Amino acid sequence: MRVEKRYMLEILGIIATILGVITGIGYLIEKAFSYYLKRQNENKKQIINILNVDNVPKMQEAKRDVFDISNLKFIESLPEERALAYKNAHKKWDTGVTSLMREGNYDVIEFLKVEWLKLSEFYTSHNFEGKTSEEYINDYIKKRFSFHWAKHMPNGKFQSGTIVYVMVGADVITDMEILIDEIVGTLSFYNENFNYLAWQEKWKVIDPS
C-alpha cells in the first residue's frame, strides 16, 4: 500500500508539473498574442495617419502652363543666352589660370541653374521629392560634383594636377546641359507650336560663344 501510495504521489507530482508547464505556455501564448494585437492596432493607426488627407503635403500647382506657347518663349532664347554665358566665361577660361578657369565654370553652372529653375516652374511641387525645386537642383549639382571628383581619382589621388578642378566643373556643365535639353524636349511634346528640333540644333553647339 505504501508503495502504491508513493507511486500515486509521484504521478500526481508529474501531472502537476505538466499542468504547470501547460499553464506557463498558455500564459506566454496569451502575452504574445496580446502583443501581436497591440502591434497590429499600432500599424493600423500608422496606415490611417498616412492615408489621412490632412497629413499629405499640399501640392503646389505649376506656375507655368506648358500648353500656353507664351510660356515657352523664354526657352527659345536659351541657346543665345547660353552663348553669352560662354562668351563671358571665356574671359576667365582663356587666362589659363586654374582658379580663374574654375570661376568661369561656376559662372556657367550658375547660369544653367537659374534656367533650370525657370523650367521647374512647369512642374508641381510633388516632382521634387518633397523639396523645393531649388533644394532639389542644388542636391543634383552637389551629387554630380561628387561623382566626377570620384571619377577623376581612380586611385584615390589626383592624377592630373590642379587642372582636375577645371575638368570636374566642365563635366558638371555637360550634365546640366544634357538635362536641360531633355526637359525642353519633354515639354515640347505638349505644345506643337514649339520647334524642338530647331532649338536643339542651336543648343547642342559645343562652344556657342
Side-chain angles (χ1 to χ4, degrees):
M1 291 292 292
R2 290 181 180 178
V3 174
E4 291 180 359
K5 185 176 180 180
R6 187 182 68 183
Y7 284 150
M8 285 296 294
L9 290 173
E10 288 179 356
I11 292 171
L12 289 173
I14 293 171
I15 293 173
T17 301
I18 293 172
L19 289 174
V21 171
I22 293 173
T23 301
I25 293 174
Y27 174 78
L28 291 174
I29 292 174
E30 181 181 356
K31 294 295 289 183
F33 187 67
S34 296
Y35 178 75
Y36 170 77
L37 291 177
K38 181 180 178 182
R39 291 295 299 168
Q40 286 292 95
N41 289 331
E42 290 176 353
N43 290 337
K44 286 180 181 178
K45 289 179 180 178
Q46 290 178 355
I47 293 172
I48 291 172
N49 287 333
I50 292 172
L51 297 178
N52 190 338
V53 176
D54 294 334
N55 293 329
V56 177
K58 292 184 178 179
M59 181 180 70
Q60 295 180 4
E61 296 296 329
K63 296 179 181 179
R64 296 178 187 266
D65 180 5
V66 70
F67 296 102
D68 185 349
I69 188 62
S70 65
N71 285 322
L72 301 180
K73 290 297 183 183
F74 83 92
I75 296 178
E76 293 178 353
S77 64
L78 280 181
E80 289 74 20
E81 292 181 22
R82 172 173 170 258
L84 181 59
Y86 265 71
K87 182 177 180 180
N88 291 330
H90 261 293
K91 297 174 183 178
K92 298 176 181 178
W93 290 337
D94 295 343
T95 64
V97 179
T98 301
S99 59
L100 291 176
M101 295 174 73
R102 290 171 64 186
E103 285 184 19
N105 283 344
Y106 298 150
D107 291 343
V108 175
I109 290 171
E110 183 61 25
F111 159 76
L112 295 171
K113 173 187 169 181
V114 169
E115 299 309 318
W116 188 3
L117 280 170
K118 292 179 184 177
L119 291 171
S120 73
E121 293 179 354
F122 286 104
Y123 298 89
T124 69
S125 59
H126 282 189
N127 290 83
F128 303 106
E129 300 177 352
K131 307 170 186 175
T132 66
S133 57
E134 186 166 12
E135 290 171 340
Y136 182 88
I137 292 169
N138 285 336
D139 284 348
Y140 172 87
I141 294 172
K142 182 179 179 180
K143 288 176 181 177
R144 298 317 296 167
F145 265 105
S146 296
F147 168 77
H148 291 300
W149 272 115
K151 180 187 70 179
H152 285 290
M153 294 188 290
N155 295 322
K157 298 178 181 179
F158 289 113
Q159 301 295 316
S160 306
T162 57
I163 194 63
V164 74
Y165 290 97
V166 180
M167 296 164 63
V168 169
D171 288 340
V172 174
I173 288 173
T174 299
D175 290 340
M176 295 181 71
E177 290 179 339
I178 291 173
L179 186 142
I180 288 176
D181 181 15
E182 291 177 350
I183 293 174
V184 172
T186 301
L187 293 174
S188 71
F189 283 118
Y190 297 92
N191 200 308
E192 61 183 11
N193 294 316
F194 180 78
N195 190 337
Y196 168 65
L197 292 179
W199 179 93
Q200 186 187 47
E201 186 176 349
K202 292 187 290 184
W203 181 257
K204 282 197 168 183
V205 176
I206 296 176
D207 188 344
S209 55

